Amino acid sequence: MWGLVPLFWPLLKPSGAMEILAHRMVWSLVVVGLVLLVLRRWAWLGELLRQPRKLALLAAAAAVITVNWGLYIWAVNNGQVVEASLGYFINPLVTIAMGVLLLGERLRRAQWAAVATGAAAVLVLAIGYGRPPWISLVLAFSFATYGLVKKKVNLGGLESLAAETALQFLPALGYLVWLGAAGSLTFGAEGTGHAALLAATGVVTAVPLVCFGAAAIRVPLSTLGLLQYLAPLFQFGLGVLYFHEAMPVERWIGFSLVWLALVVLTWDALRTARKGRLAAAAARAEALPDPEAPVEKGLREKAPREEALPGKAAAARQDAPASSS
């Protein structure tokens, strides 16, 4: 669904990117609120309101994802689907770089190679575009920052989206009211079908996220990571094959370098995960007692009892006639 969403935003024209963004915020809160009402999941709200630090982090997450959503909608509706897809291809590399710069994480050699290859790809693409691929970079850095903040918040996907859209709701609604007062609001002015499509932005936002949250607890993390490459891959395919965006040689070279970096990164992640599983299995095996030890111990404990039995039996036989007599 995330990979096919570029097909949806052009249907909302003649609405501008800012109006679409505002509707997405307003209707997302409506949809998520209804889902939470059905599931009766409200306990987290009272706890959240008692934690100002988490609220501040959620406000930061809401601000960053607003930039990400708005730019993505604008890019798709202005013929920049391929460059937008690049942003989500390089997002894992940006996330790793931010981990080093902001969190002091140490990288393995393969990760350094992937990040360096990604940087070279951006340079090649900048030369090809005649400018830095700023749409890709803003999308990648904004989403990586969003992920970093969400990691600090540690709140479920559905609950987090509800909190973020609640913070976005009043500014978004105020913007729509202002557009209506200025006579520029397209909601309702372009017919019922167009209004329904604008309202559907809430479903388009919430449903993939709910599915992702459901998958995250059922699918191994390594598989989940690989599946997330499908969204930008579908977006890239739509940009080239459906929207017929130009792909000169230098862009193919740049994208090839990005894909090479992702292959290296994925190979390293799978190899590290396999080593971790083997190490955990070895640790569990070492923690188990020696299978021979209980047998030997049992034999040693059993032997004296077996040796004592004949003596007791003889004593019993000696006592038996006396008692009978």
Side-chain angles (χ1 to χ4, degrees):
M1 285 184 279
W2 275 327
L4 297 176
V5 80
L7 296 173
F8 178 71
W9 303 125
L11 300 177
L12 304 182
K13 293 178 179 180
S15 299
M18 289 298 292
E19 183 182 350
I20 296 171
L21 175 63
H23 277 289
R24 186 178 189 180
M25 294 171 178
V26 169
W27 294 109
S28 292
L29 180 61
V30 173
V31 172
V32 174
L34 289 173
V35 173
L36 290 173
L37 190 63
V38 171
L39 298 177
R40 297 182 181 179
R41 282 163 56 176
W42 298 106
W44 59 274
L45 186 56
E47 184 181 346
L48 177 62
L49 292 174
R50 292 191 295 270
Q51 300 182 64
R53 181 177 177 275
K54 272 195 173 184
L55 283 172
L57 287 172
L58 282 169
V64 171
I65 202 63
T66 296
V67 173
N68 184 275
W69 285 356
L71 180 59
Y72 185 77
I73 293 167
W74 179 88
V76 170
N77 283 357
N78 284 273
Q80 302 292 335
V81 176
V82 169
E83 189 174 345
S85 74
L86 177 64
Y88 294 103
F89 275 127
I90 66 176
N91 175 65
L93 303 173
V94 172
T95 300
I96 289 174
M98 288 178 69
V100 173
L101 297 173
L102 300 179
L103 303 179
E105 295 178 357
R106 298 183 64 182
L107 299 187
R108 297 181 292 276
R109 281 182 294 181
Q111 290 175 314
W112 276 117
V115 171
T117 305
V122 171
L123 181 62
V124 169
L125 288 165
I127 295 171
Y129 280 108
R131 57 170 175 79
W134 66 272
I135 295 173
S136 307
L137 293 174
V138 173
L139 289 174
F141 275 92
S142 60
F143 201 72
T145 304
Y146 179 69
L148 179 65
V149 175
K150 295 266 281 189
K151 185 181 176 74
K152 298 286 186 184
V153 173
N154 193 25
L155 193 64
L158 194 62
E159 292 84 354
S160 180
L161 181 62
E164 290 159 21
T165 50
L167 291 167
Q168 294 169 331
F169 181 80
L170 286 179
L173 186 62
Y175 179 73
L176 292 175
V177 170
W178 177 79
L179 281 180
S184 303
L185 188 69
T186 61
F187 185 79
E190 298 293 327
T192 306
H194 183 262
L197 285 172
L198 285 171
T201 54
V203 177
V204 170
T205 301
V207 171
L209 186 66
V210 171
C211 292
F212 179 80
I217 59 176
R218 292 172 173 82
V219 179
L221 192 61
S222 56
T223 305
L224 198 66
L226 290 173
L227 288 174
Q228 288 187 75
Y229 291 136
L230 289 178
L233 189 62
F234 279 23
Q235 292 164 12
F236 175 80
L238 286 173
V240 174
L241 301 175
Y242 182 79
F243 293 106
H244 304 293
E245 294 184 17
M247 280 294 293
V249 174
E250 58 272 15
R251 289 189 194 173
W252 280 112
I253 294 172
F255 270 86
S256 299
L257 286 172
V258 170
W259 294 332
L260 175 62
L262 293 178
V263 167
V264 172
L265 196 63
T266 303
W267 168 78
D268 178 69
L270 294 175
R271 184 189 62 168
T272 304
R274 183 173 180 274
K275 283 184 177 179
R277 288 194 299 269
L278 292 174
R284 286 195 299 270
E286 289 178 4
L288 290 173
D290 186 351
E292 298 297 326
V295 176
E296 293 175 357
K297 183 179 178 183
L299 288 174
R300 285 196 300 271
E301 290 177 350
K302 190 177 180 182
R305 288 198 300 271
E306 289 177 344
E307 291 171 1
L309 281 175
K312 290 181 179 179
R317 284 194 298 271
Q318 290 174 357
D319 292 341
S323 61
S324 61
S325 63

